[in-house]
Amino acid sequence: MSRQYKLKTSCPQCGCSAVSHLTKDEIKKRYGDIPNVEMECSECILKYETPMKDACPEWDNECKMEDEK
Ligand SMILES: [Zn+2]
């Protein structure tokens, strides 16, 4: 199954928003278990972090559900 999750972030400096579509495996490979998503703004090249629960509430919920098993 290759369900995709939508990660939405916005740059704290210029407000430019970015959306990524990643599968579960891609998220795990890229971010592992860290609670923050690291992004680089395409407009002003600022590197910033967004909590996973803000970037992708859906993913955050699924992680919690997995933890409870
Ligand atoms: Zn920016």
Side-chain angles (χ1 to χ4, degrees):
M1 219 169 73
S2 61
R3 183 179 169 191
Q4 289 201 318
Y5 294 85
K6 188 169 135 184
L7 277 72
K8 194 166 182 294
T9 55
S10 64
C11 175
Q13 184 162 276
C14 70
C16 179
S17 62
V19 176
S20 315
H21 291 92
L22 298 171
T23 64
K24 192 171 194 169
D25 285 346
E26 285 171 333
I27 294 176
K28 285 196 168 169
K29 193 175 165 192
R30 195 176 297 192
Y31 302 116
D33 289 326
I34 54 166
N36 291 333
V37 181
E38 198 176 271
M39 299 290 290
E40 186 177 303
C41 180
S42 57
E43 291 294 321
C44 67
I45 326 295
L46 177 76
K47 283 189 177 159
Y48 61 96
E49 289 188 358
T50 301
M52 181 60 90
K53 64 179 166 58
D54 290 344
C56 187
E58 192 183 10
W59 169 257
D60 194 57
N61 284 339
E62 294 228 347
C63 285
K64 280 175 190 156
M65 279 162 61
E66 281 187 7
D67 286 345
E68 281 166 15
K69 274 176 197 168

